[in-house]
Amino acid sequence: MELKKGLGIIFLSATLLLSGISISPDVSADTSKTTVNHSVKKDLPNIKILATGGTIAGSSESSTDTTGYESGALNIETLIKAVPQLKKLANVSGEQIVNIGSQNMSNSILLKLAKRINTLLASKDVDGIVVTHGSDTLEETAYFLDLVVKSEKPVVVVGSMRPATAISADGPLNLYNAVKVASTKEARNKGVLVTLNDRIGAARYITKTHTTATDTFKSPEQGYVGEIAGDKVFFYNEPTRKHTVQSVFDVSKLKKLPRVDIIYGYQNDNRYFYDTAVQAGAKGIIVAGAGNGLISDAALAGARDAVKKGVVITRSSRVGSGVVTHETSDDKDKFVTSDSLNPQKARILLMLTLTKTKDPKKIQEYFNEY
Ligand code: ASP
């Protein structure tokens, strides 16, 4: 693995040198805080890039390797130095929060990231934030931040689908676009935004829809909020659900988040996963149900018993788009429904609502609003 990373870095270095860009010789997977400061220009916004890893920081020994590479191999210093054009957009500085594949993103890292963003945005010296992130769970982090960032200043989450060492790597332009959006006044008060592949999505709506393609991030029903074209930012829509400064969720005093698990519904399923989740200490369960969030009779027995033990059951859907409608049977069962949130985003909202209340009625109100 080390050898693989080393060769990838040599390739990246060679590519950058050929294109006239010099990078620091230290390109190790450094997870400590790193800061890069270009000389400050007073007329430019100050944008902080918080790096967490992912493919955008990925490296491989082969330029044609777009799947077997190592995520989170390059540090923020290297990523910033690889895009010198950033200097024209903003006074950019970087900080390494973690350097991981986003499948390893945890609740404690989410809390650390959110608290750091709130501290930075409270300063008059920071005009916007860019978070670099693995694409796999990017939508979960973006939605979490959408619910807990206490600022109208732009927060843009960005990733890539091809590692930095690949032919036609998409990371550098995605990063450039993210800093561009974060530097744009119109990006204020639009909730947390996601930029990949020249599109701007709202954290509440955007989701990863393809395992490997660069046009993977889509908002199936609500659409993008804007796009970047010809080096300009265009906004067309606004997210209508509550976010950031309108949100009641506050992480400032939270040390951990309540455990919420997701259970997938399928033919011939059973109640075992419900029993196991309850036993393992879940305070909430999201059901990735069939169609309009339906649960089989066998699994339903487990879900109902979980409610009796104080666990909040929320019906979402495995379909990928559309609303899960709230039925009278949900009131009887004391179930919550997820509106149009997919299971992984419903989990984020349920964790945060559980920091406020355990009452399914009140939790349903939150799901109707956020
Ligand atoms: N495994 C990577 C991650 O999510 C995939 C990516 O970034 O595209 O960290």
Side-chain angles (χ1 to χ4, degrees):
M1 198 55 106
E2 278 308 306
L3 177 66
K4 199 175 157 196
K5 190 200 300 175
L7 287 169
I9 288 162
I10 289 166
F11 174 82
L12 178 70
S13 308
T15 309
L16 294 175
L17 283 173
L18 282 172
S19 61
I21 300 161
S22 68
I23 62 168
S24 154
D26 173 22
V27 288
S28 60
D30 180 8
T31 54
S32 65
K33 248 184 207 181
T34 316
T35 303
V36 181
N37 270 313
H38 299 302
S39 52
V40 175
K41 293 198 189 115
K42 281 215 164 102
D43 53 329
L44 291 181
N46 299 322
I47 304 296
K48 195 88 177 174
I49 305 180
L50 303 184
T52 70
T55 295
I56 195 165
S59 174
S60 173
E61 79 275 20
S62 161
S63 62
T64 53
D65 176 9
T66 54
T67 54
Y69 56 87
E70 184 180 358
S71 282
L74 307 176
N75 63 23
I76 183 57
E77 190 170 354
T78 307
L79 299 190
I80 292 176
K81 283 186 176 164
V83 191
Q85 297 86 344
L86 294 176
K87 276 188 260 181
K88 290 196 180 130
L89 299 176
N91 298 309
V92 170
S93 59
E95 226 177 270
Q96 195 80 46
I97 300 293
V98 285
N99 211 353
I100 56 174
S102 70
Q103 69 276 15
N104 292 318
M105 192 56 67
S106 64
N107 289 352
S108 65
I109 302 170
L110 282 186
L111 287 172
K112 180 180 173 187
L113 179 64
K115 287 177 188 179
R116 184 69 187 135
I117 290 174
N118 280 332
T119 303
L120 288 167
L121 290 182
S123 160
K124 63 173 178 29
D125 297 331
V126 178
D127 298 304
I129 299 278
V130 168
V131 178
T132 60
H133 200 289
S135 66
D136 290 346
T137 68
L138 186 152
E139 65 197 80
E140 290 159 69
T141 298
Y143 187 47
F144 182 77
L145 297 177
D146 195 53
L147 295 169
V148 301
V149 164
K150 298 290 173 210
S151 173
E152 291 186 358
K153 293 177 186 174
V155 176
V156 182
V157 188
V158 64
S160 78
M161 291 303 289
R162 295 179 185 145
T165 45
I167 307 175
S168 294
D170 52 336
L173 185 56
N174 284 351
L175 182 61
Y176 177 84
N177 283 342
V179 171
K180 191 167 211 24
V181 172
S183 307
T184 307
K185 287 216 172 69
E186 297 74 43
R188 285 178 69 98
N189 205 17
K190 286 195 167 41
V192 170
L193 299 171
V194 172
T195 59
L196 277 97
N197 202 39
D198 298 345
R199 305 312 200 294
I200 307 166
R204 169 64 175 77
Y205 304 139
I206 203 94
T207 188
K208 187 172 184 179
T209 64
H210 193 286
T211 49
T212 57
T214 52
D215 65 342
T216 180
F217 279 88
K218 302 216 164 118
S219 297
E221 292 299 320
Q222 297 87 0
Y224 297 112
V225 298
E227 65 176 288
I228 304 118
D231 210 19
K232 288 199 174 65
V233 177
F234 299 85
F235 282 107
Y236 298 107
N237 300 314
E238 303 244 333
T240 53
R241 293 306 179 96
K242 285 188 177 169
H243 59 71
T244 56
V245 290
Q246 308 135 14
S247 169
V248 295
F249 304 112
D250 180 7
V251 292
S252 59
K253 294 192 183 69
L254 285 183
K255 294 217 159 46
K256 57 188 240 178
L257 291 161
R259 177 180 178 141
V260 173
D261 290 323
I262 300 175
I263 299 179
Y264 205 87
Y266 50 93
Q267 290 183 350
N268 203 48
D269 66 356
N270 55 61
R271 59 174 293 158
Y272 307 149
F273 290 124
Y274 291 85
D275 298 338
T276 306
V278 174
Q279 236 175 22
K283 303 288 180 264
I285 294 173
I286 305 295
V287 187
N292 189 10
L294 295 187
I295 310 174
S296 71
D297 290 347
L300 198 55
R304 284 178 173 149
D305 281 349
V307 170
K308 282 184 201 141
K309 292 190 171 131
V311 176
V312 177
I313 300 285
T314 300
R315 293 193 305 113
S316 180
S317 174
R318 64 181 201 173
V319 166
S321 68
V323 172
V324 171
T325 57
H326 196 83
E327 307 297 333
T328 46
S329 60
D330 290 309
D331 294 329
K332 228 168 93 203
D333 282 324
K334 299 197 173 72
F335 288 171
V336 174
T337 48
S338 73
D339 194 285
S340 62
L341 288 175
N342 64 23
Q344 58 271 30
K345 286 195 202 184
R347 175 181 165 272
I348 296 291
L349 182 56
L350 185 54
M351 285 196 299
L352 287 168
T353 61
L354 284 167
T355 65
K356 296 262 170 213
T357 178
K358 290 186 168 47
D359 177 3
K361 268 201 179 149
K362 184 72 197 138
I363 291 175
Q364 185 64 59
E365 284 168 25
Y366 286 129
F367 271 84
N368 297 342
E369 282 176 340
Y370 285 86

PDB file of all heavy atoms in Angstrom, residues 144-165:
ATOM      1  N   PHE A 144     -25.875  17.049   7.390  1.00  0.00           N
ATOM      2  CA  PHE A 144     -25.623  17.304   8.821  1.00  0.00           C
ATOM      3  C   PHE A 144     -25.211  18.764   9.015  1.00  0.00           C
ATOM      4  O   PHE A 144     -25.758  19.472   9.866  1.00  0.00           O
ATOM      5  CB  PHE A 144     -24.530  16.350   9.333  1.00  0.00           C
ATOM      6  CG  PHE A 144     -24.239  16.502  10.794  1.00  0.00           C
ATOM      7  CD1 PHE A 144     -25.094  15.972  11.748  1.00  0.00           C
ATOM      8  CD2 PHE A 144     -23.106  17.182  11.236  1.00  0.00           C
ATOM      9  CE1 PHE A 144     -24.840  16.115  13.112  1.00  0.00           C
ATOM     10  CE2 PHE A 144     -22.837  17.330  12.583  1.00  0.00           C
ATOM     11  CZ  PHE A 144     -23.706  16.785  13.522  1.00  0.00           C
ATOM     12  N   LEU A 145     -24.261  19.217   8.199  1.00  0.00           N
ATOM     13  CA  LEU A 145     -23.791  20.605   8.323  1.00  0.00           C
ATOM     14  C   LEU A 145     -24.924  21.588   8.016  1.00  0.00           C
ATOM     15  O   LEU A 145     -25.054  22.627   8.670  1.00  0.00           O
ATOM     16  CB  LEU A 145     -22.597  20.852   7.391  1.00  0.00           C
ATOM     17  CG  LEU A 145     -21.337  20.015   7.699  1.00  0.00           C
ATOM     18  CD1 LEU A 145     -20.254  20.295   6.656  1.00  0.00           C
ATOM     19  CD2 LEU A 145     -20.808  20.295   9.102  1.00  0.00           C
ATOM     20  N   ASP A 146     -25.765  21.250   7.041  1.00  0.00           N
ATOM     21  CA  ASP A 146     -26.920  22.076   6.676  1.00  0.00           C
ATOM     22  C   ASP A 146     -27.821  22.328   7.889  1.00  0.00           C
ATOM     23  O   ASP A 146     -28.432  23.371   8.024  1.00  0.00           O
ATOM     24  CB  ASP A 146     -27.700  21.325   5.588  1.00  0.00           C
ATOM     25  CG  ASP A 146     -28.715  22.180   4.856  1.00  0.00           C
ATOM     26  OD1 ASP A 146     -28.324  23.247   4.354  1.00  0.00           O
ATOM     27  OD2 ASP A 146     -29.892  21.780   4.784  1.00  0.00           O
ATOM     28  N   LEU A 147     -27.874  21.340   8.767  1.00  0.00           N
ATOM     29  CA  LEU A 147     -28.770  21.417   9.928  1.00  0.00           C
ATOM     30  C   LEU A 147     -28.120  22.059  11.154  1.00  0.00           C
ATOM     31  O   LEU A 147     -28.831  22.461  12.070  1.00  0.00           O
ATOM     32  CB  LEU A 147     -29.263  20.011  10.303  1.00  0.00           C
ATOM     33  CG  LEU A 147     -30.146  19.310   9.253  1.00  0.00           C
ATOM     34  CD1 LEU A 147     -30.344  17.847   9.615  1.00  0.00           C
ATOM     35  CD2 LEU A 147     -31.489  20.013   9.120  1.00  0.00           C
ATOM     36  N   VAL A 148     -26.792  22.137  11.174  1.00  0.00           N
ATOM     37  CA  VAL A 148     -26.152  22.595  12.420  1.00  0.00           C
ATOM     38  C   VAL A 148     -25.195  23.782  12.263  1.00  0.00           C
ATOM     39  O   VAL A 148     -24.726  24.311  13.266  1.00  0.00           O
ATOM     40  CB  VAL A 148     -25.402  21.433  13.137  1.00  0.00           C
ATOM     41  CG1 VAL A 148     -26.361  20.298  13.464  1.00  0.00           C
ATOM     42  CG2 VAL A 148     -24.216  20.931  12.332  1.00  0.00           C
ATOM     43  N   VAL A 149     -24.901  24.193  11.029  1.00  0.00           N
ATOM     44  CA  VAL A 149     -24.035  25.374  10.856  1.00  0.00           C
ATOM     45  C   VAL A 149     -24.840  26.613  11.222  1.00  0.00           C
ATOM     46  O   VAL A 149     -25.975  26.780  10.784  1.00  0.00           O
ATOM     47  CB  VAL A 149     -23.511  25.469   9.405  1.00  0.00           C
ATOM     48  CG1 VAL A 149     -22.943  26.856   9.110  1.00  0.00           C
ATOM     49  CG2 VAL A 149     -22.428  24.413   9.165  1.00  0.00           C
ATOM     50  N   LYS A 150     -24.246  27.476  12.039  1.00  0.00           N
ATOM     51  CA  LYS A 150     -24.969  28.664  12.517  1.00  0.00           C
ATOM     52  C   LYS A 150     -24.441  29.924  11.826  1.00  0.00           C
ATOM     53  O   LYS A 150     -23.907  30.823  12.463  1.00  0.00           O
ATOM     54  CB  LYS A 150     -24.786  28.799  14.044  1.00  0.00           C
ATOM     55  CG  LYS A 150     -25.338  27.633  14.837  1.00  0.00           C
ATOM     56  CD  LYS A 150     -26.846  27.617  14.809  1.00  0.00           C
ATOM     57  CE  LYS A 150     -27.423  26.379  15.448  1.00  0.00           C
ATOM     58  NZ  LYS A 150     -28.712  25.999  14.861  1.00  0.00           N
ATOM     59  N   SER A 151     -24.541  29.949  10.537  1.00  0.00           N
ATOM     60  CA  SER A 151     -24.045  31.119   9.795  1.00  0.00           C
ATOM     61  C   SER A 151     -24.712  31.173   8.429  1.00  0.00           C
ATOM     62  O   SER A 151     -25.086  30.144   7.876  1.00  0.00           O
ATOM     63  CB  SER A 151     -22.527  30.998   9.607  1.00  0.00           C
ATOM     64  OG  SER A 151     -22.059  32.033   8.771  1.00  0.00           O
ATOM     65  N   GLU A 152     -24.851  32.405   7.920  1.00  0.00           N
ATOM     66  CA  GLU A 152     -25.356  32.567   6.545  1.00  0.00           C
ATOM     67  C   GLU A 152     -24.227  32.515   5.521  1.00  0.00           C
ATOM     68  O   GLU A 152     -24.467  32.502   4.321  1.00  0.00           O
ATOM     69  CB  GLU A 152     -26.075  33.915   6.422  1.00  0.00           C
ATOM     70  CG  GLU A 152     -27.366  33.980   7.205  1.00  0.00           C
ATOM     71  CD  GLU A 152     -28.140  35.260   6.961  1.00  0.00           C
ATOM     72  OE1 GLU A 152     -27.658  36.130   6.204  1.00  0.00           O
ATOM     73  OE2 GLU A 152     -29.227  35.396   7.534  1.00  0.00           O
ATOM     74  N   LYS A 153     -22.982  32.497   6.006  1.00  0.00           N
ATOM     75  CA  LYS A 153     -21.845  32.483   5.068  1.00  0.00           C
ATOM     76  C   LYS A 153     -21.827  31.163   4.300  1.00  0.00           C
ATOM     77  O   LYS A 153     -22.240  30.130   4.830  1.00  0.00           O
ATOM     78  CB  LYS A 153     -20.533  32.645   5.839  1.00  0.00           C
ATOM     79  CG  LYS A 153     -20.377  34.020   6.489  1.00  0.00           C
ATOM     80  CD  LYS A 153     -19.093  34.087   7.304  1.00  0.00           C
ATOM     81  CE  LYS A 153     -18.997  35.380   8.079  1.00  0.00           C
ATOM     82  NZ  LYS A 153     -17.830  35.388   8.991  1.00  0.00           N
ATOM     83  N   PRO A 154     -21.326  31.179   3.059  1.00  0.00           N
ATOM     84  CA  PRO A 154     -21.356  29.950   2.251  1.00  0.00           C
ATOM     85  C   PRO A 154     -20.510  28.818   2.839  1.00  0.00           C
ATOM     86  O   PRO A 154     -19.391  29.044   3.300  1.00  0.00           O
ATOM     87  CB  PRO A 154     -20.763  30.390   0.912  1.00  0.00           C
ATOM     88  CG  PRO A 154     -20.862  31.875   0.890  1.00  0.00           C
ATOM     89  CD  PRO A 154     -20.802  32.332   2.308  1.00  0.00           C
ATOM     90  N   VAL A 155     -21.099  27.631   2.808  1.00  0.00           N
ATOM     91  CA  VAL A 155     -20.372  26.395   3.127  1.00  0.00           C
ATOM     92  C   VAL A 155     -20.591  25.462   1.939  1.00  0.00           C
ATOM     93  O   VAL A 155     -21.731  25.156   1.590  1.00  0.00           O
ATOM     94  CB  VAL A 155     -20.880  25.734   4.421  1.00  0.00           C
ATOM     95  CG1 VAL A 155     -20.157  24.407   4.665  1.00  0.00           C
ATOM     96  CG2 VAL A 155     -20.700  26.658   5.616  1.00  0.00           C
ATOM     97  N   VAL A 156     -19.508  25.057   1.304  1.00  0.00           N
ATOM     98  CA  VAL A 156     -19.601  24.236   0.087  1.00  0.00           C
ATOM     99  C   VAL A 156     -18.838  22.937   0.306  1.00  0.00           C
ATOM    100  O   VAL A 156     -17.663  22.959   0.690  1.00  0.00           O
ATOM    101  CB  VAL A 156     -18.999  24.996  -1.115  1.00  0.00           C
ATOM    102  CG1 VAL A 156     -19.138  24.175  -2.391  1.00  0.00           C
ATOM    103  CG2 VAL A 156     -19.673  26.354  -1.294  1.00  0.00           C
ATOM    104  N   VAL A 157     -19.510  21.820   0.084  1.00  0.00           N
ATOM    105  CA  VAL A 157     -18.851  20.520   0.228  1.00  0.00           C
ATOM    106  C   VAL A 157     -18.528  19.998  -1.171  1.00  0.00           C
ATOM    107  O   VAL A 157     -19.364  20.044  -2.072  1.00  0.00           O
ATOM    108  CB  VAL A 157     -19.740  19.514   0.994  1.00  0.00           C
ATOM    109  CG1 VAL A 157     -18.952  18.239   1.310  1.00  0.00           C
ATOM    110  CG2 VAL A 157     -20.254  20.129   2.286  1.00  0.00           C
ATOM    111  N   VAL A 158     -17.291  19.510  -1.336  1.00  0.00           N
ATOM    112  CA  VAL A 158     -16.835  19.098  -2.666  1.00  0.00           C
ATOM    113  C   VAL A 158     -16.080  17.777  -2.582  1.00  0.00           C
ATOM    114  O   VAL A 158     -15.427  17.482  -1.593  1.00  0.00           O
ATOM    115  CB  VAL A 158     -15.955  20.208  -3.307  1.00  0.00           C
ATOM    116  CG1 VAL A 158     -14.676  20.434  -2.508  1.00  0.00           C
ATOM    117  CG2 VAL A 158     -15.606  19.886  -4.741  1.00  0.00           C
ATOM    118  N   GLY A 159     -16.212  16.990  -3.634  1.00  0.00           N
ATOM    119  CA  GLY A 159     -15.447  15.751  -3.745  1.00  0.00           C
ATOM    120  C   GLY A 159     -15.066  15.550  -5.192  1.00  0.00           C
ATOM    121  O   GLY A 159     -15.139  16.478  -6.012  1.00  0.00           O
ATOM    122  N   SER A 160     -14.660  14.350  -5.515  1.00  0.00           N
ATOM    123  CA  SER A 160     -14.397  14.024  -6.918  1.00  0.00           C
ATOM    124  C   SER A 160     -14.632  12.536  -7.102  1.00  0.00           C
ATOM    125  O   SER A 160     -14.735  11.789  -6.131  1.00  0.00           O
ATOM    126  CB  SER A 160     -12.962  14.391  -7.311  1.00  0.00           C
ATOM    127  OG  SER A 160     -12.072  13.415  -6.822  1.00  0.00           O
ATOM    128  N   MET A 161     -14.718  12.127  -8.343  1.00  0.00           N
ATOM    129  CA  MET A 161     -14.940  10.712  -8.635  1.00  0.00           C
ATOM    130  C   MET A 161     -13.672  10.026  -9.126  1.00  0.00           C
ATOM    131  O   MET A 161     -13.600   8.811  -9.180  1.00  0.00           O
ATOM    132  CB  MET A 161     -16.060  10.557  -9.668  1.00  0.00           C
ATOM    133  CG  MET A 161     -17.430  10.934  -9.127  1.00  0.00           C
ATOM    134  SD  MET A 161     -17.879   9.993  -7.668  1.00  0.00           S
ATOM    135  CE  MET A 161     -18.147   8.386  -8.390  1.00  0.00           C
ATOM    136  N   ARG A 162     -12.684  10.833  -9.525  1.00  0.00           N
ATOM    137  CA  ARG A 162     -11.419  10.245  -9.986  1.00  0.00           C
ATOM    138  C   ARG A 162     -10.298  10.744  -9.095  1.00  0.00           C
ATOM    139  O   ARG A 162     -10.270  11.937  -8.745  1.00  0.00           O
ATOM    140  CB  ARG A 162     -11.148  10.645 -11.441  1.00  0.00           C
ATOM    141  CG  ARG A 162     -12.178  10.073 -12.391  1.00  0.00           C
ATOM    142  CD  ARG A 162     -11.901  10.491 -13.815  1.00  0.00           C
ATOM    143  NE  ARG A 162     -12.973  10.028 -14.683  1.00  0.00           N
ATOM    144  CZ  ARG A 162     -13.418  10.692 -15.732  1.00  0.00           C
ATOM    145  NH1 ARG A 162     -12.885  11.859 -16.059  1.00  0.00           N
ATOM    146  NH2 ARG A 162     -14.387  10.197 -16.460  1.00  0.00           N
ATOM    147  N   PRO A 163      -9.355   9.871  -8.764  1.00  0.00           N
ATOM    148  CA  PRO A 163      -8.265  10.298  -7.889  1.00  0.00           C
ATOM    149  C   PRO A 163      -7.383  11.347  -8.556  1.00  0.00           C
ATOM    150  O   PRO A 163      -7.419  11.504  -9.796  1.00  0.00           O
ATOM    151  CB  PRO A 163      -7.487   8.994  -7.641  1.00  0.00           C
ATOM    152  CG  PRO A 163      -7.835   8.109  -8.786  1.00  0.00           C
ATOM    153  CD  PRO A 163      -9.229   8.475  -9.187  1.00  0.00           C
ATOM    154  N   ALA A 164      -6.603  12.034  -7.750  1.00  0.00           N
ATOM    155  CA  ALA A 164      -5.756  13.121  -8.252  1.00  0.00           C
ATOM    156  C   ALA A 164      -4.776  12.642  -9.309  1.00  0.00           C
ATOM    157  O   ALA A 164      -4.321  13.420 -10.153  1.00  0.00           O
ATOM    158  CB  ALA A 164      -4.998  13.744  -7.085  1.00  0.00           C
ATOM    159  N   THR A 165      -4.445  11.349  -9.300  1.00  0.00           N
ATOM    160  CA  THR A 165      -3.440  10.805 -10.209  1.00  0.00           C
ATOM    161  C   THR A 165      -4.027  10.321 -11.543  1.00  0.00           C
ATOM    162  O   THR A 165      -3.285   9.866 -12.414  1.00  0.00           O
ATOM    163  CB  THR A 165      -2.749   9.616  -9.516  1.00  0.00           C
ATOM    164  OG1 THR A 165      -3.757   8.814  -8.904  1.00  0.00           O
ATOM    165  CG2 THR A 165      -1.755  10.087  -8.481  1.00  0.00           C
TER     166      THR A 165
END
